[in-house]
Amino acid sequence: MCWCRNCLQLPLISVLRQVTEEIIKEGRSMVKNGNSPLMFQWYGQRYWGAAHGLAGIMHVLMDVQLKPDVAEDVKGTLKYIINNRVAGWKSGMAKWLMEA
């Protein structure tokens, strides 16, 4: 087995892709009212926060290379957050949406 940096990254990329797919699948399955393309729960509750909430999950997904349909779901979810939550979040997320 090769221990060079490139060879070690390949399995990690594969795992990251699998985890991302599961996150998206779960997020799509929890949508109930159609206002947000993705939704998540922690112990049966929906949270907005960075630790276990929608904002934290979106933060992680913004750093992953996404398929076009998934990227659209992430953008739609960010727009949902921007339109329905704390005004202070708007500047950073709006910048990301404009760059994506």
mmCIF file of all heavy atoms in Angstrom, residues 37-83:
data_model
loop_
_atom_site.group_PDB
_atom_site.id
_atom_site.type_symbol
_atom_site.label_atom_id
_atom_site.label_comp_id
_atom_site.label_asym_id
_atom_site.label_seq_id
_atom_site.Cartn_x
_atom_site.Cartn_y
_atom_site.Cartn_z
ATOM 1 N N PRO A 37 -35.729 23.005 0.184
ATOM 2 C CA PRO A 37 -35.397 21.747 -0.490
ATOM 3 C C PRO A 37 -34.790 20.699 0.447
ATOM 4 O O PRO A 37 -34.899 19.509 0.193
ATOM 5 C CB PRO A 37 -34.376 22.161 -1.547
ATOM 6 C CG PRO A 37 -34.533 23.618 -1.723
ATOM 7 C CD PRO A 37 -35.037 24.149 -0.418
ATOM 8 N N LEU A 38 -34.148 21.150 1.538
ATOM 9 C CA LEU A 38 -33.531 20.239 2.500
ATOM 10 C C LEU A 38 -33.944 20.641 3.910
ATOM 11 O O LEU A 38 -34.091 21.825 4.200
ATOM 12 C CB LEU A 38 -32.002 20.297 2.400
ATOM 13 C CG LEU A 38 -31.381 19.971 1.051
ATOM 14 C CD1 LEU A 38 -29.899 20.301 1.054
ATOM 15 C CD2 LEU A 38 -31.600 18.514 0.687
ATOM 16 N N MET A 39 -34.123 19.652 4.779
ATOM 17 C CA MET A 39 -34.436 19.924 6.175
ATOM 18 C C MET A 39 -33.842 18.797 7.010
ATOM 19 O O MET A 39 -33.740 17.660 6.555
ATOM 20 C CB MET A 39 -35.953 20.003 6.393
ATOM 21 C CG MET A 39 -36.348 20.464 7.770
ATOM 22 S SD MET A 39 -35.607 22.035 8.305
ATOM 23 C CE MET A 39 -36.385 23.208 7.232
ATOM 24 N N PHE A 40 -33.448 19.130 8.237
ATOM 25 C CA PHE A 40 -32.815 18.152 9.121
ATOM 26 C C PHE A 40 -33.360 18.294 10.534
ATOM 27 O O PHE A 40 -33.849 19.355 10.911
ATOM 28 C CB PHE A 40 -31.292 18.358 9.127
ATOM 29 C CG PHE A 40 -30.697 18.238 7.759
ATOM 30 C CD1 PHE A 40 -30.528 19.359 6.960
ATOM 31 C CD2 PHE A 40 -30.329 17.011 7.246
ATOM 32 C CE1 PHE A 40 -29.993 19.261 5.681
ATOM 33 C CE2 PHE A 40 -29.799 16.896 5.976
ATOM 34 C CZ PHE A 40 -29.630 18.026 5.198
ATOM 35 N N GLN A 41 -33.246 17.197 11.299
ATOM 36 C CA GLN A 41 -33.680 17.211 12.690
ATOM 37 C C GLN A 41 -32.573 16.640 13.564
ATOM 38 O O GLN A 41 -31.765 15.826 13.112
ATOM 39 C CB GLN A 41 -34.926 16.352 12.868
ATOM 40 C CG GLN A 41 -36.141 16.872 12.170
ATOM 41 C CD GLN A 41 -37.340 15.976 12.388
ATOM 42 O OE1 GLN A 41 -37.283 14.968 13.100
ATOM 43 N NE2 GLN A 41 -38.449 16.328 11.784
ATOM 44 N N TRP A 42 -32.578 17.059 14.811
ATOM 45 C CA TRP A 42 -31.666 16.528 15.826
ATOM 46 C C TRP A 42 -32.543 16.134 17.002
ATOM 47 O O TRP A 42 -33.202 16.978 17.585
ATOM 48 C CB TRP A 42 -30.632 17.592 16.202
ATOM 49 C CG TRP A 42 -29.685 17.188 17.276
ATOM 50 C CD1 TRP A 42 -29.693 17.629 18.562
ATOM 51 C CD2 TRP A 42 -28.589 16.289 17.174
ATOM 52 N NE1 TRP A 42 -28.676 17.058 19.272
ATOM 53 C CE2 TRP A 42 -27.973 16.225 18.436
ATOM 54 C CE3 TRP A 42 -28.064 15.512 16.143
ATOM 55 C CZ2 TRP A 42 -26.867 15.428 18.688
ATOM 56 C CZ3 TRP A 42 -26.964 14.716 16.404
ATOM 57 C CH2 TRP A 42 -26.376 14.687 17.657
ATOM 58 N N TYR A 43 -32.591 14.859 17.305
ATOM 59 C CA TYR A 43 -33.468 14.330 18.362
ATOM 60 C C TYR A 43 -34.917 14.772 18.170
ATOM 61 O O TYR A 43 -35.581 15.192 19.108
ATOM 62 C CB TYR A 43 -32.950 14.727 19.749
ATOM 63 C CG TYR A 43 -31.736 13.941 20.168
ATOM 64 C CD1 TYR A 43 -30.474 14.497 20.089
ATOM 65 C CD2 TYR A 43 -31.872 12.635 20.617
ATOM 66 C CE1 TYR A 43 -29.353 13.768 20.464
ATOM 67 C CE2 TYR A 43 -30.753 11.902 20.991
ATOM 68 C CZ TYR A 43 -29.508 12.464 20.917
ATOM 69 O OH TYR A 43 -28.396 11.743 21.293
ATOM 70 N N GLY A 44 -35.379 14.696 16.932
ATOM 71 C CA GLY A 44 -36.773 14.996 16.631
ATOM 72 C C GLY A 44 -37.129 16.467 16.540
ATOM 73 O O GLY A 44 -38.283 16.810 16.329
ATOM 74 N N GLN A 45 -36.163 17.353 16.685
ATOM 75 C CA GLN A 45 -36.414 18.802 16.622
ATOM 76 C C GLN A 45 -35.635 19.407 15.468
ATOM 77 O O GLN A 45 -34.515 18.990 15.178
ATOM 78 C CB GLN A 45 -35.968 19.487 17.919
ATOM 79 C CG GLN A 45 -36.717 19.043 19.141
ATOM 80 C CD GLN A 45 -38.149 19.550 19.139
ATOM 81 O OE1 GLN A 45 -38.426 20.661 18.730
ATOM 82 N NE2 GLN A 45 -39.065 18.703 19.586
ATOM 83 N N ARG A 46 -36.219 20.399 14.846
ATOM 84 C CA ARG A 46 -35.508 21.150 13.813
ATOM 85 C C ARG A 46 -34.744 22.286 14.467
ATOM 86 O O ARG A 46 -35.288 23.024 15.264
ATOM 87 C CB ARG A 46 -36.491 21.711 12.797
ATOM 88 C CG ARG A 46 -37.169 20.633 12.003
ATOM 89 C CD ARG A 46 -38.140 21.220 11.024
ATOM 90 N NE ARG A 46 -38.742 20.147 10.268
ATOM 91 C CZ ARG A 46 -39.469 20.325 9.190
ATOM 92 N NH1 ARG A 46 -39.701 21.542 8.758
ATOM 93 N NH2 ARG A 46 -39.966 19.301 8.548
ATOM 94 N N TYR A 47 -33.482 22.391 14.125
ATOM 95 C CA TYR A 47 -32.623 23.445 14.666
ATOM 96 C C TYR A 47 -32.044 24.266 13.524
ATOM 97 O O TYR A 47 -31.753 23.746 12.458
ATOM 98 C CB TYR A 47 -31.469 22.854 15.487
ATOM 99 C CG TYR A 47 -31.895 22.215 16.769
ATOM 100 C CD1 TYR A 47 -32.094 20.847 16.850
ATOM 101 C CD2 TYR A 47 -32.106 22.980 17.907
ATOM 102 C CE1 TYR A 47 -32.491 20.248 18.037
ATOM 103 C CE2 TYR A 47 -32.502 22.389 19.103
ATOM 104 C CZ TYR A 47 -32.684 21.024 19.152
ATOM 105 O OH TYR A 47 -33.073 20.445 20.326
ATOM 106 N N TRP A 48 -31.839 25.553 13.790
ATOM 107 C CA TRP A 48 -31.221 26.446 12.815
ATOM 108 C C TRP A 48 -29.712 26.529 13.016
ATOM 109 O O TRP A 48 -28.996 26.924 12.127
ATOM 110 C CB TRP A 48 -31.783 27.859 12.962
ATOM 111 C CG TRP A 48 -33.188 27.991 12.516
ATOM 112 C CD1 TRP A 48 -34.308 27.818 13.280
ATOM 113 C CD2 TRP A 48 -33.656 28.314 11.212
ATOM 114 N NE1 TRP A 48 -35.426 28.018 12.520
ATOM 115 C CE2 TRP A 48 -35.060 28.327 11.255
ATOM 116 C CE3 TRP A 48 -33.006 28.593 10.021
ATOM 117 C CZ2 TRP A 48 -35.829 28.619 10.137
ATOM 118 C CZ3 TRP A 48 -33.778 28.889 8.909
ATOM 119 C CH2 TRP A 48 -35.174 28.893 8.968
ATOM 120 N N GLY A 49 -29.233 26.183 14.177
ATOM 121 C CA GLY A 49 -27.875 26.505 14.611
ATOM 122 C C GLY A 49 -26.737 25.789 13.914
ATOM 123 O O GLY A 49 -26.917 24.877 13.116
ATOM 124 N N ALA A 50 -25.543 26.233 14.280
ATOM 125 C CA ALA A 50 -24.321 25.744 13.654
ATOM 126 C C ALA A 50 -23.917 24.350 14.126
ATOM 127 O O ALA A 50 -23.273 23.614 13.392
ATOM 128 C CB ALA A 50 -23.191 26.735 13.921
ATOM 129 N N ALA A 51 -24.255 23.959 15.337
ATOM 130 C CA ALA A 51 -23.799 22.669 15.864
ATOM 131 C C ALA A 51 -24.577 21.500 15.267
ATOM 132 O O ALA A 51 -23.990 20.574 14.708
ATOM 133 C CB ALA A 51 -23.905 22.663 17.384
ATOM 134 N N HIS A 52 -25.875 21.504 15.378
ATOM 135 C CA HIS A 52 -26.688 20.376 14.920
ATOM 136 C C HIS A 52 -27.823 20.826 14.015
ATOM 137 O O HIS A 52 -28.773 20.086 13.808
ATOM 138 C CB HIS A 52 -27.285 19.627 16.116
ATOM 139 C CG HIS A 52 -26.270 19.200 17.103
ATOM 140 N ND1 HIS A 52 -25.340 18.236 16.831
ATOM 141 C CD2 HIS A 52 -26.006 19.628 18.365
ATOM 142 C CE1 HIS A 52 -24.569 18.076 17.879
ATOM 143 N NE2 HIS A 52 -24.937 18.910 18.822
ATOM 144 N N GLY A 53 -27.728 22.017 13.491
ATOM 145 C CA GLY A 53 -28.846 22.566 12.749
ATOM 146 C C GLY A 53 -28.576 22.784 11.277
ATOM 147 O O GLY A 53 -27.531 22.445 10.737
ATOM 148 N N LEU A 54 -29.561 23.367 10.669
ATOM 149 C CA LEU A 54 -29.557 23.617 9.233
ATOM 150 C C LEU A 54 -28.352 24.452 8.817
ATOM 151 O O LEU A 54 -27.699 24.148 7.811
ATOM 152 C CB LEU A 54 -30.864 24.329 8.864
ATOM 153 C CG LEU A 54 -31.307 24.318 7.424
ATOM 154 C CD1 LEU A 54 -31.376 22.911 6.868
ATOM 155 C CD2 LEU A 54 -32.660 24.990 7.299
ATOM 156 N N ALA A 55 -28.013 25.468 9.565
ATOM 157 C CA ALA A 55 -26.882 26.339 9.205
ATOM 158 C C ALA A 55 -25.561 25.570 9.215
ATOM 159 O O ALA A 55 -24.734 25.727 8.310
ATOM 160 C CB ALA A 55 -26.808 27.527 10.156
ATOM 161 N N GLY A 56 -25.362 24.733 10.212
ATOM 162 C CA GLY A 56 -24.131 23.960 10.288
ATOM 163 C C GLY A 56 -23.996 22.955 9.165
ATOM 164 O O GLY A 56 -22.917 22.778 8.593
ATOM 165 N N ILE A 57 -25.081 22.293 8.831
ATOM 166 C CA ILE A 57 -25.057 21.314 7.751
ATOM 167 C C ILE A 57 -24.806 22.019 6.418
ATOM 168 O O ILE A 57 -24.017 21.548 5.596
ATOM 169 C CB ILE A 57 -26.353 20.490 7.739
ATOM 170 C CG1 ILE A 57 -26.422 19.656 9.024
ATOM 171 C CG2 ILE A 57 -26.430 19.613 6.501
ATOM 172 C CD1 ILE A 57 -27.766 19.024 9.287
ATOM 173 N N MET A 58 -25.445 23.152 6.208
ATOM 174 C CA MET A 58 -25.225 23.909 4.970
ATOM 175 C C MET A 58 -23.777 24.390 4.887
ATOM 176 O O MET A 58 -23.171 24.378 3.816
ATOM 177 C CB MET A 58 -26.173 25.107 4.875
ATOM 178 C CG MET A 58 -27.637 24.737 4.692
ATOM 179 S SD MET A 58 -27.964 23.740 3.219
ATOM 180 C CE MET A 58 -28.124 22.117 3.932
ATOM 181 N N HIS A 59 -23.218 24.792 6.023
ATOM 182 C CA HIS A 59 -21.821 25.241 6.054
ATOM 183 C C HIS A 59 -20.893 24.128 5.565
ATOM 184 O O HIS A 59 -19.979 24.369 4.770
ATOM 185 C CB HIS A 59 -21.448 25.680 7.465
ATOM 186 C CG HIS A 59 -20.032 26.117 7.594
ATOM 187 N ND1 HIS A 59 -19.599 27.342 7.167
ATOM 188 C CD2 HIS A 59 -18.952 25.477 8.078
ATOM 189 C CE1 HIS A 59 -18.299 27.443 7.391
ATOM 190 N NE2 HIS A 59 -17.889 26.325 7.950
ATOM 191 N N VAL A 60 -21.123 22.912 6.010
ATOM 192 C CA VAL A 60 -20.306 21.785 5.582
ATOM 193 C C VAL A 60 -20.523 21.503 4.097
ATOM 194 O O VAL A 60 -19.564 21.309 3.346
ATOM 195 C CB VAL A 60 -20.623 20.529 6.430
ATOM 196 C CG1 VAL A 60 -19.962 19.297 5.844
ATOM 197 C CG2 VAL A 60 -20.194 20.748 7.868
ATOM 198 N N LEU A 61 -21.764 21.496 3.654
ATOM 199 C CA LEU A 61 -22.053 21.175 2.259
ATOM 200 C C LEU A 61 -21.504 22.221 1.291
ATOM 201 O O LEU A 61 -21.206 21.908 0.136
ATOM 202 C CB LEU A 61 -23.563 20.998 2.051
ATOM 203 C CG LEU A 61 -24.165 19.758 2.716
ATOM 204 C CD1 LEU A 61 -25.669 19.735 2.525
ATOM 205 C CD2 LEU A 61 -23.525 18.478 2.186
ATOM 206 N N MET A 62 -21.344 23.465 1.749
ATOM 207 C CA MET A 62 -20.790 24.507 0.870
ATOM 208 C C MET A 62 -19.316 24.257 0.569
ATOM 209 O O MET A 62 -18.786 24.811 -0.383
ATOM 210 C CB MET A 62 -20.965 25.888 1.493
ATOM 211 C CG MET A 62 -22.400 26.354 1.492
ATOM 212 S SD MET A 62 -22.637 28.078 1.985
ATOM 213 C CE MET A 62 -21.859 28.168 3.569
ATOM 214 N N ASP A 63 -18.651 23.407 1.345
ATOM 215 C CA ASP A 63 -17.235 23.104 1.128
ATOM 216 C C ASP A 63 -17.002 21.804 0.373
ATOM 217 O O ASP A 63 -15.872 21.349 0.251
ATOM 218 C CB ASP A 63 -16.496 23.055 2.462
ATOM 219 C CG ASP A 63 -16.282 24.429 3.061
ATOM 220 O OD1 ASP A 63 -16.182 25.400 2.288
ATOM 221 O OD2 ASP A 63 -16.219 24.535 4.289
ATOM 222 N N VAL A 64 -18.064 21.194 -0.122
ATOM 223 C CA VAL A 64 -17.960 19.917 -0.822
ATOM 224 C C VAL A 64 -18.339 20.141 -2.286
ATOM 225 O O VAL A 64 -19.248 20.917 -2.588
ATOM 226 C CB VAL A 64 -18.929 18.882 -0.188
ATOM 227 C CG1 VAL A 64 -18.892 17.571 -0.939
ATOM 228 C CG2 VAL A 64 -18.600 18.675 1.278
ATOM 229 N N GLN A 65 -17.634 19.461 -3.182
ATOM 230 C CA GLN A 65 -18.017 19.532 -4.587
ATOM 231 C C GLN A 65 -19.323 18.762 -4.763
ATOM 232 O O GLN A 65 -19.410 17.578 -4.428
ATOM 233 C CB GLN A 65 -16.930 18.938 -5.470
ATOM 234 C CG GLN A 65 -17.193 19.144 -6.937
ATOM 235 C CD GLN A 65 -15.996 18.746 -7.790
ATOM 236 O OE1 GLN A 65 -14.972 18.310 -7.283
ATOM 237 N NE2 GLN A 65 -16.138 18.891 -9.077
ATOM 238 N N LEU A 66 -20.345 19.441 -5.265
ATOM 239 C CA LEU A 66 -21.688 18.874 -5.352
ATOM 240 C C LEU A 66 -22.130 18.705 -6.796
ATOM 241 O O LEU A 66 -21.739 19.477 -7.667
ATOM 242 C CB LEU A 66 -22.686 19.792 -4.638
ATOM 243 C CG LEU A 66 -22.407 20.091 -3.167
ATOM 244 C CD1 LEU A 66 -23.337 21.182 -2.668
ATOM 245 C CD2 LEU A 66 -22.556 18.830 -2.323
ATOM 246 N N LYS A 67 -22.986 17.713 -7.012
ATOM 247 C CA LYS A 67 -23.628 17.563 -8.314
ATOM 248 C C LYS A 67 -24.550 18.764 -8.514
ATOM 249 O O LYS A 67 -25.036 19.348 -7.534
ATOM 250 C CB LYS A 67 -24.434 16.269 -8.353
ATOM 251 C CG LYS A 67 -23.591 15.025 -8.232
ATOM 252 C CD LYS A 67 -24.475 13.782 -8.203
ATOM 253 C CE LYS A 67 -23.658 12.548 -7.984
ATOM 254 N NZ LYS A 67 -24.476 11.341 -7.875
ATOM 255 N N PRO A 68 -24.831 19.126 -9.766
ATOM 256 C CA PRO A 68 -25.660 20.320 -10.015
ATOM 257 C C PRO A 68 -27.015 20.313 -9.317
ATOM 258 O O PRO A 68 -27.430 21.332 -8.769
ATOM 259 C CB PRO A 68 -25.818 20.326 -11.544
ATOM 260 C CG PRO A 68 -24.604 19.620 -12.045
ATOM 261 C CD PRO A 68 -24.302 18.554 -11.012
ATOM 262 N N ASP A 69 -27.720 19.182 -9.297
ATOM 263 C CA ASP A 69 -29.033 19.151 -8.640
ATOM 264 C C ASP A 69 -28.907 19.319 -7.130
ATOM 265 O O ASP A 69 -29.733 19.969 -6.493
ATOM 266 C CB ASP A 69 -29.803 17.873 -8.981
ATOM 267 C CG ASP A 69 -29.133 16.605 -8.457
ATOM 268 O OD1 ASP A 69 -27.895 16.487 -8.606
ATOM 269 O OD2 ASP A 69 -29.844 15.744 -7.911
ATOM 270 N N VAL A 70 -27.843 18.778 -6.560
ATOM 271 C CA VAL A 70 -27.613 18.913 -5.121
ATOM 272 C C VAL A 70 -27.224 20.352 -4.795
ATOM 273 O O VAL A 70 -27.697 20.933 -3.814
ATOM 274 C CB VAL A 70 -26.538 17.922 -4.636
ATOM 275 C CG1 VAL A 70 -26.199 18.151 -3.181
ATOM 276 C CG2 VAL A 70 -27.002 16.484 -4.865
ATOM 277 N N ALA A 71 -26.373 20.948 -5.639
ATOM 278 C CA ALA A 71 -25.983 22.350 -5.437
ATOM 279 C C ALA A 71 -27.209 23.256 -5.461
ATOM 280 O O ALA A 71 -27.310 24.193 -4.666
ATOM 281 C CB ALA A 71 -24.974 22.779 -6.490
ATOM 282 N N GLU A 72 -28.161 22.966 -6.327
ATOM 283 C CA GLU A 72 -29.401 23.757 -6.383
ATOM 284 C C GLU A 72 -30.213 23.588 -5.110
ATOM 285 O O GLU A 72 -30.814 24.543 -4.614
ATOM 286 C CB GLU A 72 -30.234 23.389 -7.615
ATOM 287 C CG GLU A 72 -29.635 23.901 -8.911
ATOM 288 C CD GLU A 72 -29.432 25.412 -8.925
ATOM 289 O OE1 GLU A 72 -30.361 26.156 -8.539
ATOM 290 O OE2 GLU A 72 -28.338 25.849 -9.309
ATOM 291 N N ASP A 73 -30.246 22.378 -4.559
ATOM 292 C CA ASP A 73 -30.947 22.157 -3.289
ATOM 293 C C ASP A 73 -30.273 22.917 -2.148
ATOM 294 O O ASP A 73 -30.944 23.496 -1.292
ATOM 295 C CB ASP A 73 -31.017 20.667 -2.951
ATOM 296 C CG ASP A 73 -32.076 19.925 -3.735
ATOM 297 O OD1 ASP A 73 -32.858 20.584 -4.462
ATOM 298 O OD2 ASP A 73 -32.123 18.686 -3.630
ATOM 299 N N VAL A 74 -28.945 22.920 -2.141
ATOM 300 C CA VAL A 74 -28.220 23.663 -1.105
ATOM 301 C C VAL A 74 -28.493 25.154 -1.255
ATOM 302 O O VAL A 74 -28.790 25.843 -0.266
ATOM 303 C CB VAL A 74 -26.707 23.351 -1.158
ATOM 304 C CG1 VAL A 74 -25.922 24.294 -0.256
ATOM 305 C CG2 VAL A 74 -26.448 21.900 -0.761
ATOM 306 N N LYS A 75 -28.437 25.673 -2.478
ATOM 307 C CA LYS A 75 -28.735 27.097 -2.709
ATOM 308 C C LYS A 75 -30.161 27.432 -2.281
ATOM 309 O O LYS A 75 -30.404 28.456 -1.643
ATOM 310 C CB LYS A 75 -28.550 27.456 -4.184
ATOM 311 C CG LYS A 75 -27.131 27.510 -4.625
ATOM 312 C CD LYS A 75 -27.077 27.873 -6.099
ATOM 313 C CE LYS A 75 -25.690 27.744 -6.659
ATOM 314 N NZ LYS A 75 -25.660 28.069 -8.095
ATOM 315 N N GLY A 76 -31.105 26.570 -2.629
ATOM 316 C CA GLY A 76 -32.492 26.804 -2.246
ATOM 317 C C GLY A 76 -32.683 26.799 -0.738
ATOM 318 O O GLY A 76 -33.451 27.586 -0.188
ATOM 319 N N THR A 77 -31.970 25.915 -0.058
ATOM 320 C CA THR A 77 -32.043 25.849 1.399
ATOM 321 C C THR A 77 -31.421 27.097 2.020
ATOM 322 O O THR A 77 -31.953 27.652 2.992
ATOM 323 C CB THR A 77 -31.366 24.574 1.913
ATOM 324 O OG1 THR A 77 -31.989 23.442 1.292
ATOM 325 C CG2 THR A 77 -31.475 24.452 3.421
ATOM 326 N N LEU A 78 -30.315 27.565 1.472
ATOM 327 C CA LEU A 78 -29.699 28.801 1.962
ATOM 328 C C LEU A 78 -30.629 29.998 1.757
ATOM 329 O O LEU A 78 -30.754 30.854 2.629
ATOM 330 C CB LEU A 78 -28.355 29.036 1.277
ATOM 331 C CG LEU A 78 -27.251 28.062 1.678
ATOM 332 C CD1 LEU A 78 -26.049 28.229 0.774
ATOM 333 C CD2 LEU A 78 -26.867 28.236 3.131
ATOM 334 N N LYS A 79 -31.295 30.033 0.629
ATOM 335 C CA LYS A 79 -32.269 31.113 0.384
ATOM 336 C C LYS A 79 -33.409 31.035 1.398
ATOM 337 O O LYS A 79 -33.880 32.062 1.887
ATOM 338 C CB LYS A 79 -32.805 31.028 -1.042
ATOM 339 C CG LYS A 79 -31.787 31.430 -2.077
ATOM 340 C CD LYS A 79 -32.320 31.246 -3.488
ATOM 341 C CE LYS A 79 -31.236 31.539 -4.495
ATOM 342 N NZ LYS A 79 -31.685 31.284 -5.876
ATOM 343 N N TYR A 80 -33.839 29.821 1.715
ATOM 344 C CA TYR A 80 -34.873 29.629 2.731
ATOM 345 C C TYR A 80 -34.409 30.177 4.080
ATOM 346 O O TYR A 80 -35.145 30.884 4.768
ATOM 347 C CB TYR A 80 -35.210 28.138 2.837
ATOM 348 C CG TYR A 80 -36.114 27.789 3.982
ATOM 349 C CD1 TYR A 80 -37.494 28.005 3.896
ATOM 350 C CD2 TYR A 80 -35.602 27.241 5.152
ATOM 351 C CE1 TYR A 80 -38.331 27.675 4.950
ATOM 352 C CE2 TYR A 80 -36.433 26.907 6.207
ATOM 353 C CZ TYR A 80 -37.797 27.133 6.099
ATOM 354 O OH TYR A 80 -38.620 26.813 7.149
ATOM 355 N N ILE A 81 -33.160 29.868 4.453
ATOM 356 C CA ILE A 81 -32.612 30.375 5.712
ATOM 357 C C ILE A 81 -32.554 31.899 5.685
ATOM 358 O O ILE A 81 -32.956 32.562 6.646
ATOM 359 C CB ILE A 81 -31.206 29.786 5.977
ATOM 360 C CG1 ILE A 81 -31.297 28.285 6.261
ATOM 361 C CG2 ILE A 81 -30.520 30.503 7.132
ATOM 362 C CD1 ILE A 81 -29.953 27.582 6.305
ATOM 363 N N ILE A 82 -32.054 32.447 4.599
ATOM 364 C CA ILE A 82 -31.917 33.902 4.479
ATOM 365 C C ILE A 82 -33.273 34.586 4.606
ATOM 366 O O ILE A 82 -33.398 35.611 5.282
ATOM 367 C CB ILE A 82 -31.241 34.269 3.145
ATOM 368 C CG1 ILE A 82 -29.763 33.867 3.189
ATOM 369 C CG2 ILE A 82 -31.387 35.762 2.838
ATOM 370 C CD1 ILE A 82 -29.078 33.903 1.840
ATOM 371 N N ASN A 83 -34.271 34.037 3.981
ATOM 372 C CA ASN A 83 -35.597 34.666 3.977
ATOM 373 C C ASN A 83 -36.397 34.445 5.249
ATOM 374 O O ASN A 83 -37.377 35.147 5.484
ATOM 375 C CB ASN A 83 -36.407 34.170 2.777
ATOM 376 C CG ASN A 83 -35.841 34.666 1.483
ATOM 377 O OD1 ASN A 83 -35.297 35.769 1.398
ATOM 378 N ND2 ASN A 83 -35.944 33.860 0.450
#
